[in-house]
Amino acid sequence: MADFLVFAFPVLILCVPRGAGVFLAGVGLLMLAGWRQMLPAWREHAAVLRPLALAVLGFVAVYLVSKFVHGTPWDVLDNPSRVILSVLTCWLIVRAAPNPAVLWRGITLALVLALLIVAYQRFALAELRPSAWTQAIAFANMVAAIGLVGFARPGDSRRAHATAWFNVLCAMAILMLNGTRGAAVAMLLTVVPMLLIRYRRFTVRMFAIAIATVVVLAVGAYSIPGNPVSQRVDEAVAEIHQFEKGNIETSVGVRLKIWHIGMQYFSEHPWSGAGVGQFARILHAAPFCQQTKSLACVLEHAHNDLVEAAATTGLPGLLAMLGLFLVPAGLFFRALLACSAANSDRGVSLAGAGLGVVMASLLSGLTQVTMAHQANVVFYAGFIGLLLGLSGREVYAVRGLKAGAAAASMPSRGVNRVNLGSI
């Protein structure tokens, strides 16, 4: 059952309406089914679970305090509270020990199905921003992260490399049809350092070819006539020039303006912010919005994770938000070093994939608020928990083998006494 849940995760997230809820239910059911082994699993894998739990509980605590301090309604905690799923998923994975290979099979299937869905929506239904059944930007962010994990799959054969590049190309094709600039840029930027995961035994020639492939992929994606991503990149450049001339009524201009308003509010209220989920209140109270009827003044969130956290929950909220990214990144990096030292290809791939998800999510969060969309929150929390659990299992196995080898190499005192007594 755990194997099936890991395999189904990317398919549920990208291709099934309300698939995030199905994954949540699956995690809950499997935890109930194996509740007797949950506590021993926590003790064995506390090195991973405890830091993750502290980061998540710190984040939830800051948001809960903000809710009471500012008297905001309970529903503002609905999406943020779902980050607890990362701990539950990680806990379940280290107990159930599913086969990591099924994750990469599910990723390739999910990307192919998602490409078929968005192609149908774009060409048959004439949707301008096809995104299956999810909000367009949130969907694109998830595609980018899943494509990167697919790129980090283990294996050094030609088939493994071909499948890895197929996953990236498939994800890029989906992003081109979807038209989200931020996710496409996040994936292309993150795939460059992930070449070190893909080609761990690389030669200089192979690495140069891989870098050139990424460049060709970026240039080719931009050069395709009628490509929504290239059109939106051109629009972004033009909108920046318009903003410099005083016109903010564009997609980029509105973002730049609300970021300025949000950071100005943060500088005036660095410790408390406006209250969790209350970024719209900041805009409505801003002198700019009281004097104009700009598009910037009707938005509900900051379209930037860091600005949203700083303006609504102050410095404590900003640090707690960063903790959701940096603590898992630290755990993945530690696992990467341990697995690399032990020559565990699968462990290196899992830890490297986790780092890729964190980096891509951070970059995507510069133009979108993760907590604003339920699917995005469940995706990030679920994927981080899943990858931390799988990589944690690999580290645990590696250390167990080392301990066993060390014990086997030590002479047995009991045997020595018997030998001495028999002389």
Side-chain angles (χ1 to χ4, degrees):
M1 289 296 293
D3 282 357
F4 178 76
L5 188 65
V6 171
F7 170 80
F9 175 76
V11 179
L12 289 172
I13 289 294
L14 292 185
C15 309
V16 179
R18 302 188 181 277
V22 176
F23 178 74
L24 271 169
V27 170
L29 288 173
L30 286 180
M31 289 190 72
L32 288 174
W35 66 271
R36 293 180 184 274
Q37 293 81 36
M38 295 303 292
L39 191 56
W42 183 283
R43 295 194 191 102
E44 289 178 354
H45 299 276
V48 173
L49 288 166
R50 190 180 296 121
L52 178 63
L54 289 174
V56 169
L57 291 177
F59 175 82
V60 173
V62 168
Y63 274 55
L64 190 61
V65 169
S66 178
K67 176 260 179 294
F68 281 111
V69 168
H70 294 280
T72 54
W74 280 101
D75 60 0
V76 298
L77 296 177
D78 183 24
N79 285 350
S81 66
R82 294 173 189 269
V83 297
I84 297 172
L85 176 65
S86 62
V87 180
L88 299 180
T89 303
C90 184
W91 195 1
L92 169 67
I93 294 300
V94 296
R95 182 201 67 78
N99 179 10
V102 300
L103 172 64
W104 283 290
R105 295 174 196 153
I107 282 175
T108 302
L109 175 62
L111 290 172
V112 171
L113 291 176
L115 179 58
L116 293 175
I117 292 169
V118 296
Y120 175 78
Q121 291 177 329
R122 181 70 178 86
F123 299 114
L125 303 181
E127 294 185 15
L128 295 179
R129 300 289 299 278
S131 54
W133 297 277
T134 311
Q135 196 270 349
I137 298 177
F139 175 79
N141 294 344
M142 295 187 291
V143 167
I146 288 176
L148 290 166
V149 176
F151 184 69
R153 61 178 293 126
D156 201 34
S157 65
R158 289 184 179 180
R159 180 177 180 181
H161 289 316
T163 305
W165 281 104
F166 172 80
N167 289 332
V168 170
L169 290 170
C170 200
M172 180 55 66
I174 295 170
L175 294 176
M176 288 168 59
L177 291 171
N178 172 269
T180 299
R181 297 169 292 209
V185 171
M187 189 177 77
L188 288 173
L189 288 177
T190 307
V191 81
V192 174
M194 289 193 69
L195 290 170
L196 297 173
I197 304 297
R198 176 76 260 141
Y199 297 101
R200 293 190 288 278
R201 300 180 181 87
F202 70 94
T203 62
V204 174
R205 177 173 173 270
M206 279 300 299
F207 193 70
I209 292 173
I211 289 285
T213 302
V214 174
V215 174
V216 170
L217 179 62
V219 174
Y222 179 79
S223 303
I224 296 176
N227 171 19
V229 171
S230 62
Q231 292 175 356
R232 287 177 58 77
V233 170
D234 291 339
E235 289 173 4
V237 174
E239 289 170 4
I240 290 174
H241 292 314
Q242 292 180 44
F243 181 80
E244 292 172 345
K245 295 178 181 178
N247 177 21
I248 72 163
E249 302 306 313
T250 63
S251 177
V252 173
V254 164
R255 280 180 167 86
L256 293 174
K257 186 62 182 179
I258 64 174
W259 294 346
H260 172 73
I261 294 173
M263 293 312 295
Q264 188 174 36
Y265 189 89
F266 171 62
S267 67
E268 296 169 357
H269 306 83
W271 295 107
S272 62
V276 55
Q278 302 304 303
F279 192 81
R281 183 185 298 177
I282 297 174
L283 296 179
H284 296 159
F288 172 80
C289 290
Q290 292 178 351
Q291 298 167 7
T292 66
K293 295 182 179 180
S294 170
L295 293 173
C297 303
V298 299
L299 297 179
E300 295 295 325
H301 58 80
H303 283 272
N304 182 296
D305 274 332
L306 303 183
V307 174
E308 175 84 12
T312 58
T313 53
L315 185 59
L318 177 60
L319 294 176
M321 169 62 73
L322 287 172
L324 291 181
F325 295 102
L326 299 183
V327 170
L331 293 172
F332 283 127
F333 186 71
R334 187 172 68 183
L336 181 66
L337 294 179
C339 293
S340 179
N343 293 319
S344 171
D345 287 348
R346 190 168 67 180
V348 169
S349 290
L350 289 167
L355 286 171
V357 171
V358 172
M359 181 175 175
S361 299
L362 270 170
L363 291 172
S364 297
L366 296 178
T367 54
Q368 176 64 352
V369 174
T370 303
M371 299 300 157
H373 304 287
Q374 183 184 120
N376 229 163
V377 180
V378 173
F379 167 77
Y380 179 75
F383 218 7
I384 289 297
L386 193 155
L387 290 170
L388 273 177
L390 292 173
S391 60
R393 291 283 314 180
E394 293 297 319
V395 172
Y396 186 77
V398 163
R399 289 176 177 169
L401 289 173
K402 285 184 177 179
S409 65
M410 294 177 63
S412 172
R413 295 181 180 178
V415 171
N416 288 343
R417 283 198 296 269
V418 172
N419 290 340
L420 288 173
S422 63
I423 293 177

